[in-house]
Amino acid sequence: SYKGGGSDKTTVVNFNGDTTLEYLTLKLTSTINFNYIGAKGHKLILGEGLNCIANSKGSYFNLCGGSFSGTYNSTDLTVKSGKWRNIYYGTYAGTINGDAKLTMIGGSYTHYVQANYKDTVAGDCIVYMSDCTMGSLLIGGNKSAGTVRGDITVTLGAGVTGTTEISPVAGTAT
């Protein structure tokens, strides 16, 4: 499903089933920073050959294992290529009732990787990264107001580059 678009609108592209994207060009035309590609709790693989083109302000799409908001059983996001702004491997502002998982084995991000910006992950937060370029911040849990009830596991494999601050959680861990 697709919502929004245009130069001053939020763009939200959601997938309603397990999806793999490969060998595509994804061009962001909206000039605001709130533009999302969401898996809605389904398995989303951003595979080989993704060419991401920033908008006129230099911003890229945000990724969500869920979506901008909502409640999901779990998330499973895999990134193999492309350049992204933020990666919310849970959801931006919603609830994950189970685990939130990110496997990043290629590609890059310019700002943050985090489970949720706000709200709850009831299960574990699991991050594996290798052969990718990190942006400014990697948070195992939530960035803002929110709760992680399970364990937070971050594994950095070979080939991870970039200068970043790494924090287990900026919200609340219970």
Side-chain angles (χ1 to χ4, degrees):
S1 63
Y2 167 77
K3 174 186 170 188
S7 64
D8 63 346
K9 306 273 191 217
T10 297
T11 301
V12 180
V13 179
N14 286 318
F15 295 100
N16 295 315
D18 292 354
T19 302
T20 300
L21 300 178
E22 299 182 306
Y23 303 102
L24 295 171
T25 296
L26 302 170
K27 181 178 181 180
L28 182 58
T29 57
S30 173
T31 57
I32 62 173
N33 291 330
F34 299 104
N35 299 285
Y36 300 88
I37 295 174
K40 295 189 81 173
H42 300 284
K43 185 169 183 60
L44 176 59
I45 300 172
L46 298 154
E48 301 292 330
L50 294 181
N51 177 28
C52 299
I53 300 174
N55 65 16
S56 62
K57 293 184 177 181
S59 186
Y60 294 88
F61 274 105
N62 296 294
L63 297 177
C64 295
S67 187
F68 179 77
S69 61
T71 300
Y72 305 94
N73 290 330
S74 63
T75 62
D76 188 354
L77 181 61
T78 299
V79 178
K80 295 182 179 182
S81 70
K83 189 169 187 176
W84 314 98
R85 183 173 192 271
N86 293 315
I87 300 175
Y88 305 100
Y89 60 96
T91 186
Y92 178 80
T95 299
I96 307 300
N97 289 322
D99 296 343
K101 179 181 175 187
L102 170 66
T103 303
M104 188 167 183
I105 52 177
S108 64
Y109 66 94
T110 61
H111 287 78
Y112 304 139
V113 163
Q114 58 204 43
N116 289 2
Y117 182 76
K118 56 185 177 179
D119 292 324
T120 301
V121 176
D124 296 339
C125 292
I126 305 158
V127 176
Y128 175 80
M129 301 173 86
S130 69
D131 301 308
C132 62
T133 302
M134 296 193 298
S136 60
L137 185 60
L138 167 60
I139 302 172
N142 293 352
K143 164 91 171 89
S144 187
T147 302
V148 175
R149 294 192 181 125
D151 293 332
I152 298 170
T153 304
V154 176
T155 304
L156 300 179
V160 176
T161 61
T163 303
T164 192
E165 177 184 348
I166 300 174
S167 174
V169 65
T172 304
T174 59

